[in-house]
Amino acid sequence: VGLRSKSASPTSFRLTEKFILLLVFSAFITLCFGAIFFLPDSTKLLSGVFFRSSSVEAETRTGTVSDTSTGTGKDEKILAKIRKDHEKALLEAKDTLQKGASEIKQDIKSDKEKLALNGQGKGAKTDSLPFVQYERPPGATGHEPADPDIKAKRAKIKEMMQFSWDNYKRYAWGSNELRPVSKQGHSSNLFGSLKGATIVDALDTLYIMEMYDEFEAATEWVERNLDFNMNAEISVFEVNIRFVGGLLSAYYLSGKEVFRRKAVELGEKLLPAFKTPTGIPWALLNLKSGIGRNWPWASGGSSILAEYGTLHLEFMHLSALSGRPVFAEKVMNIRKVLNRLDKPQGLYPNYLNPNSGQWGQHHVSVGGLGDSFYEYLLKAWLMSDKTDEEGKKLYYDALQAIEKNLIRKSSGGLTYIAEWKGGLLEHKMGHLTCFAGGMIALGADGAPDDKTGHQMELAAEITRTCHESYTRTSEWENCFENVETKMFVQHALNTDNVIHFSTSVL
């Protein structure tokens, strides 16, 4: 009995083991069938796990299923393309190494020109600039005067420009300006950390004077070094007239795309200045943050007439060259704001609050703080081929108000333009006002109601006053406004007896 019970125990254990194995096997079969029939996209999952093929991954994303042979074929095509590109790169490198230094430089130059043409330069959007058919302005260069006296004067002026440029290049290359006494470069805080104001501002002069070697050196500096990506606060007015204006004039004279591209790039950097409740721009702007503010001394944080009114010419051209109307819209909005305001006796005060849209202190001056606003009204009309009727009306209405309320004659017979504060005249005329003689002469030809002769006489009288103000003091008369005015008046009158005294300063 004892032997039987002992022999039966192993048989009983084996049956239990078989039963457990059967349960495990059944569970495994169930799991496999569940994976096949119930898990989503199981075939794709398996193929992705085991093969990791880029073609399979691509097909999984697009919702298609391909077999292994198709994926393998695509992999082979990709590998073949990689090999082909690699071989092409090796051949190009081999060809380049066999070229001379001059050929390599020429290739680099050609590549740069292609990039500039496509607007793919530093800081520019590749598709932002449309194609513009460049037309070289007639008469800018290549003409020598027949009069030997005028020819000699031109040569002397060019000699002075050459002297100035050579010393700037020697002592202050890349700086905004040269201090002539200390012979050191200097950068005014008006430009923040922008560099090269003298280079950019002189581009058109170099070209017109046919100083082409110097122009090419300046162009190379602009292409390599002129950068607007900086955390710095700048004067919108100064940067516009020096940098944007300099780049635009250089483009129109030479047709070099680098100037168009840089001008538009900088113009875009200046657009945040117009983010005010009225659209009247701030005087100062941080180029990185786009935060603007006004000069703290300017009548309770007002914008200044000569600053926000001296953007029109450049911004209209930026729209024309970029295909973006936003630049023109910004400056045309300034006119809308001014047209809505009541002008005291038809005059434009120097201060306007950009938040409230109301005049600040009632101070009117055709000199400092106001000057170039009037100049830009006239030149906007002329620049439009005399189609900008609004600009024309604004200029001649303003000039009429100035003549009625500000122009007076001294006891000594000198005509001057006084300043106006709160309804009271201040009988003084700063030297910055001396540009007005040239401005009035320039616009006399289009004067309404047959006032051309009268405005020419007025221009000559103001010019005479400016000349006398210098000759009666120990000051030199080589103020730019003074010389510019005399040149305009002489040209308009076509005579030497008004301006012969100005040539001595040149």
Side-chain angles (χ1 to χ4, degrees):
V1 176
L3 288 172
R4 284 178 185 160
S5 58
K6 190 175 181 178
S7 63
S9 178
T11 304
S12 164
F13 179 77
R14 283 194 297 272
L15 289 173
T16 304
E17 185 179 27
K18 288 179 180 180
F19 180 72
I20 292 172
L21 289 173
L22 181 61
L23 286 177
V24 171
F25 183 73
S26 299
F28 179 74
I29 294 297
T30 303
L31 180 63
C32 290
F33 275 91
I36 293 172
F37 291 105
F38 299 107
L39 287 181
D41 294 336
S42 58
T43 55
K44 297 171 189 175
L45 179 63
L46 290 172
S47 62
V49 170
F50 290 108
F51 298 107
R52 291 291 181 187
S53 167
S54 59
S55 60
V56 171
E57 290 175 3
E59 290 165 359
T60 302
R61 286 192 296 269
T62 57
T64 61
V65 180
S66 61
D67 57 21
T68 307
S69 61
T70 304
T72 305
K74 290 190 175 182
D75 286 344
E76 290 176 354
K77 289 181 180 179
I78 293 171
L79 290 173
K81 186 177 184 304
I82 293 173
R83 282 195 295 268
K84 184 178 179 181
D85 292 342
H86 182 63
E87 291 170 358
K88 182 180 177 182
L90 288 175
L91 289 173
E92 289 178 354
K94 184 178 179 181
D95 291 340
T96 301
L97 291 173
Q98 292 175 349
K99 292 181 179 180
S102 59
E103 291 181 275
I104 294 175
K105 288 181 179 179
Q106 184 59 41
D107 289 344
I108 294 172
K109 185 178 180 181
S110 299
D111 290 342
K112 283 184 176 180
E113 289 176 353
K114 289 178 182 178
L115 286 173
L117 185 62
N118 293 327
Q120 295 176 342
K122 183 178 180 181
K125 297 177 181 178
T126 57
D127 58 349
S128 61
L129 296 184
F131 172 76
V132 172
Q133 182 64 49
Y134 172 73
E135 295 181 8
R136 188 172 184 271
T141 58
H143 298 277
E144 286 290 334
D147 188 327
D149 184 49
I150 295 178
K151 191 173 182 178
K153 290 173 182 175
R154 279 166 53 105
K156 187 63 179 178
I157 295 171
K158 184 173 180 178
E159 177 188 330
M160 294 171 66
M161 177 63 182
Q162 188 73 61
F163 175 83
S164 301
W165 182 261
D166 289 344
N167 283 280
Y168 167 75
K169 189 172 184 179
R170 179 179 179 183
Y171 297 110
W173 184 247
S175 297
N176 285 328
E177 52 198 356
L178 167 65
R179 285 178 165 166
V181 177
S182 63
K183 299 179 181 179
Q184 293 179 345
H186 173 67
S187 293
S188 167
N189 59 3
L190 293 172
F191 304 112
S193 50
L194 274 177
K195 301 296 181 183
T198 289
I199 295 174
V200 176
D201 210 9
L203 283 164
D204 53 353
T205 303
L206 292 171
Y207 194 92
I208 291 171
M209 291 187 175
E210 299 181 7
M211 298 169 63
Y212 295 126
D213 290 341
E214 291 79 3
F215 179 80
E216 290 300 327
T219 301
E220 184 178 356
W221 186 93
V222 168
E223 193 161 15
R224 292 185 176 183
N225 301 288
L226 187 58
D227 183 20
F228 312 123
N229 298 308
M230 56 190 63
N231 185 10
E233 188 178 64
I234 52 89
S235 163
V236 175
F237 162 73
E238 291 289 345
V239 166
N240 177 65
I241 64 172
R242 311 294 178 191
F243 285 90
V244 178
L247 291 166
L248 288 172
S249 59
Y251 169 73
Y252 282 118
L253 285 167
S254 69
K256 290 183 179 290
E257 280 292 318
V258 61
F259 299 129
R260 179 168 77 122
R261 175 165 46 83
K262 290 284 186 180
V264 174
E265 180 186 349
L266 180 53
E268 290 173 345
K269 290 280 188 179
L270 297 180
L271 286 176
F274 294 85
K275 291 181 179 179
T276 65
T278 60
I280 299 296
W282 300 112
L284 303 170
L285 177 72
N286 185 293
L287 289 180
K288 182 177 181 180
S289 67
I291 296 175
R293 67 184 180 97
N294 277 335
W295 300 105
W297 50 263
S299 185
S302 292
S303 297
I304 298 170
L305 181 67
E307 294 193 337
Y308 68 78
T310 311
L311 303 169
H312 193 95
L313 301 182
E314 291 84 358
F315 273 60
M316 293 299 285
H317 279 288
L318 286 175
S319 278
L321 294 179
S322 68
R324 298 186 59 197
V326 62
F327 298 106
E329 289 168 357
K330 296 298 184 185
V331 291
M332 292 305 291
N333 177 68
I334 293 175
R335 285 189 182 179
K336 291 179 182 178
V337 174
L338 293 177
N339 283 331
R340 288 196 298 264
L341 288 169
D342 290 329
K343 268 76 70 180
Q345 300 184 44
L347 299 169
Y348 289 85
N350 292 335
Y351 302 109
L352 177 61
N353 190 297
N355 293 312
S356 67
Q358 299 299 315
W359 298 117
Q361 180 187 5
H362 278 200
H363 173 212
V364 178
S365 167
V366 182
L369 304 179
D371 47 11
S372 50
F373 164 72
Y374 305 99
E375 174 190 357
Y376 266 47
L377 289 178
L378 172 61
K379 291 182 177 177
W381 173 57
L382 297 176
M383 183 185 75
S384 70
D385 198 20
K386 298 184 179 181
T387 61
D388 183 1
E389 291 296 328
E390 182 184 46
K392 176 184 178 181
K393 185 178 187 305
L394 288 172
Y395 168 72
Y396 287 111
D397 286 353
L399 182 59
Q400 183 178 357
I402 289 168
E403 186 172 0
K404 179 181 178 181
N405 297 289
L406 303 182
I407 293 181
R408 297 291 184 268
K409 193 179 289 286
S410 72
S411 57
L414 295 177
T415 301
Y416 63 95
I417 306 177
E419 296 186 12
W420 187 85
K421 284 190 178 180
L424 300 176
L425 281 183
E426 289 191 351
H427 295 276
K428 65 178 183 179
M429 176 173 159
H431 79 272
L432 287 177
T433 315
C434 283
F435 89 98
M439 177 187 72
I440 295 170
L442 184 63
D445 184 54
D449 302 326
D450 299 324
K451 291 184 178 179
T452 297
H454 167 71
Q455 290 192 8
M456 281 306 309
E457 291 176 5
L458 180 61
E461 289 175 9
I462 293 172
T463 304
R464 177 171 174 264
T465 299
C466 290
H467 171 247
E468 291 296 321
S469 70
Y470 282 98
T471 58
R472 294 183 186 187
T473 65
S474 59
E475 297 293 329
W476 291 90
E477 63 168 354
N478 58 347
C479 150
F480 175 78
E481 288 80 6
N482 203 21
V483 174
E484 181 186 34
T485 285
K486 292 170 183 176
M487 292 175 68
F488 272 127
V489 174
Q490 181 193 33
H491 178 73
L493 293 177
N494 194 24
T495 179
D496 287 333
N497 58 9
V498 174
I499 196 174
H500 69 276
F501 43 73
S502 73
T503 57
S504 62
V505 303
L506 298 178

